[in-house]
Amino acid sequence: MSLLRNNSTNNQFEIEAEALRTDWDIKEIENLFDKPFVDLLYQAQKIHRQNFDPNTVQVSTLLSIKTGACPEDCSYCSQSAQNDTSLKREKLLSLEKVVAAAKEAKDSGVTRFCMGAAWRNPTDKSLDNVIEMITEVKSLGMETCVTLGMLSRKQVQRLKAAGLDYYNHNLDTSPEFYGEVITTRTYQDRLNTIGYVQTAGIKVCSGGILGMGETRYDRARLLQELANLSQHPDSVPINDLVQVKGTPLDGIDRLDSFEFIRTIAVARILMPKSYVRLSAGRVEMNDEMQSLCFLAGANSIFYGERLLTTDNPVENHDDALMLKLGMKKEKLPLTL
Ligand code: SAM
Ligand code: DTB
Ligand code: SF4
């Protein structure tokens, strides 16, 4: 998109690329949330079309490479050692298993492979293993993404040198609500890791979870934090809480669907060039709701029957939905 600007030195109008805003005020964001639903979706869809092909969806597949026994106390998570869930813990997967899963994903048209580990932070030794995985998955011609918890600057540099494309590190919710959900790390810890990743030139994937008992103000503040980072995250996952038995958040009231869709639309308006990912929670959403999320500007999903430890729609179902909607999976440029 471009804007006509008055150039005061020679008093001529010239075309300038519109800068992405990183100065959103909370009131402006709350006003977007308050708009009539159809007006909000119309605005989001208009912005979406200025920046993306509206009929293309980016697909990534997730794999849990190290499962359970996590020392953090995230109250939504099946993998926290502090939550009494029935999850079976597993050591770091072998390179062969990871490569086999990535090949399978590639064969089903997936372009990005995301590997997640239940760590507070990786040790340097475990990072060696993850780096081997990144190298092998990249050599298949796929984009790579990892989510490993907090990182030091040095670890980020090692990941960059290995050619990692994306690092996922969610802010999860507003700074004000954060302490209600997680007590073993701070919001600033999260921001620090995101800052190291951005500075190193690795693409950032950062978003949050809705339906944890937060208010609309918290949802607006989460989006404000993301949109006011020095650069917008390249990918913004919006997760609907997957309620897991044995976690403190199991049984909480589900978020109203229209509020979820509104949040997607506001994310699209604030971060026009970012991929907005309709992430966890799709098994509980019907096709009509997911279609409204696409109309609101969501343009990526996790594809494949597992997320990390919980279910995702089966591939046949997603293929049928995309066919009904006339949507196609995004392909990578041939240069990769
Ligand atoms: N341990 C690393 C971390 O926390 O950054 C990486 C893995 S963690 C499982 C990745 C993200 O998954 C979390 O930040 C959270 O946003 C999301 N997540 C985890 N459990 C979830 C659940 N039950 N429902 C929705 N999203 C969830
Ligand atoms: C993200 O925002 N959601 C994904 C990915 N990034 C790592 C993880 C969702 C996890 C859902 C619960 C589970 O399967 O354990
Ligand atoms: Fe550990 Fe990540 Fe789960 Fe928190 S979200 S308990 S850090 S795996």
Side-chain angles (χ1 to χ4, degrees):
M1 191 172 54
S2 57
L3 268 189
L4 279 177
R5 289 252 164 82
N6 189 347
N7 179 333
S8 54
T9 29
N10 55 13
N11 206 21
Q12 278 180 342
F13 283 93
E14 59 180 29
I15 308 239
E16 280 179 16
E18 188 181 34
L20 292 173
R21 282 187 57 190
T22 55
D23 62 351
W24 290 94
D25 181 77
I26 188 65
K27 204 67 220 144
E28 288 178 283
I29 301 175
E30 290 184 305
N31 288 343
L32 287 171
F33 269 97
D34 288 344
K35 281 189 145 202
F37 186 75
V38 171
D39 289 351
L40 176 63
L41 259 64
Y42 179 63
Q43 185 177 347
Q45 177 63 207
K46 244 186 348 189
I47 289 178
H48 189 46
R49 281 167 183 264
Q50 285 158 357
N51 293 285
F52 289 99
D53 170 357
N55 302 310
T56 299
V57 66
Q58 188 280 329
V59 291
S60 298
T61 288
L62 278 168
L63 178 69
S64 180
I65 56 170
K66 187 266 164 188
T67 306
C70 181
E72 302 272 25
D73 71 350
C74 309
S75 53
Y76 48 78
C77 189
S78 61
Q79 306 203 62
S80 166
Q82 313 216 21
N83 297 337
D84 191 11
T85 64
S86 55
L87 188 72
K88 205 173 133 259
R89 58 165 74 173
E90 279 170 37
K91 288 194 299 218
L92 191 64
L93 289 187
S94 67
L95 183 61
E96 294 67 42
K97 281 193 175 157
V98 173
V99 172
K103 276 190 179 144
E104 201 182 310
K106 189 181 180 205
D107 291 344
S108 61
V110 169
T111 51
R112 190 179 310 154
F113 195 64
C114 305
M115 296 165 268
W119 286 321
R120 173 174 166 79
N121 54 268
T123 61
D124 289 339
K125 190 159 170 289
S126 44
L127 202 65
D128 293 341
N129 298 106
V130 175
I131 283 174
E132 274 185 351
M133 295 172 185
I134 293 168
T135 309
E136 289 296 314
V137 173
K138 267 190 91 73
S139 74
L140 300 175
M142 298 180 91
E143 289 182 324
T144 50
C145 174
V146 294
T147 180
L148 315 170
M150 289 185 264
L151 299 175
S152 66
R153 269 187 204 281
K154 201 151 166 253
Q155 290 180 321
V156 170
Q157 280 155 8
R158 292 189 60 206
L159 289 170
K160 174 68 186 169
L164 177 70
D165 297 292
Y166 286 80
Y167 194 76
N168 166 253
H169 204 62
N170 290 341
L171 288 178
D172 279 339
T173 190
S174 69
E176 294 78 10
F177 192 62
Y178 200 73
E180 302 286 318
V181 181
I182 301 152
T183 67
T184 49
R185 59 172 186 250
T186 65
Y187 215 72
Q188 192 56 50
D189 290 330
R190 288 312 257 190
L191 290 169
N192 290 346
T193 297
I194 292 172
Y196 303 152
V197 171
Q198 244 166 11
T199 308
I202 298 172
K203 290 182 178 147
V204 168
C205 170
S206 187
I209 309 178
L210 311 185
M212 298 195 292
E214 77 286 345
T215 61
R216 178 178 277 190
Y217 172 79
D218 293 309
R219 290 184 281 279
R221 282 284 289 121
L222 165 67
L223 296 184
Q224 184 189 26
E225 288 287 332
L226 293 166
N228 289 352
L229 288 170
S230 54
Q231 285 168 50
H232 294 168
D234 300 86
S235 157
V236 180
I238 305 292
N239 297 277
D240 196 10
L241 175 70
V242 178
Q243 300 199 4
V244 179
K245 273 209 171 52
T247 60
L249 288 177
D250 184 32
I252 196 164
D253 284 348
R254 280 184 58 89
L255 183 69
D256 174 68
S257 302
F258 292 98
E259 185 66 14
F260 186 91
I261 299 161
R262 277 180 188 277
T263 310
I264 297 262
V266 177
R268 166 54 62 225
I269 293 166
L270 302 188
M271 295 169 278
K273 292 189 188 297
S274 304
Y275 282 81
V276 175
R277 185 179 300 273
L278 174 56
S279 298
R282 288 198 302 121
V283 275
E284 297 288 334
M285 297 176 194
N286 62 25
D287 288 354
E288 291 79 0
M289 169 158 180
Q290 293 186 58
S291 308
L292 280 173
C293 289
F294 294 133
L295 192 66
N299 62 344
S300 63
I301 55 170
F302 288 118
Y303 182 80
E305 63 187 35
R306 276 316 255 174
L307 291 166
L308 288 172
T309 68
T310 66
D311 289 344
N312 197 41
V314 293
E315 296 181 7
N316 284 348
H317 188 100
D318 278 343
D319 289 342
L321 176 59
M322 280 191 244
L323 195 64
K324 271 192 254 185
L325 299 180
M327 288 181 108
K328 54 191 180 308
K329 293 178 191 153
E330 186 180 84
K331 294 204 166 62
L332 288 179
L334 291 171
T335 48
L336 192 95

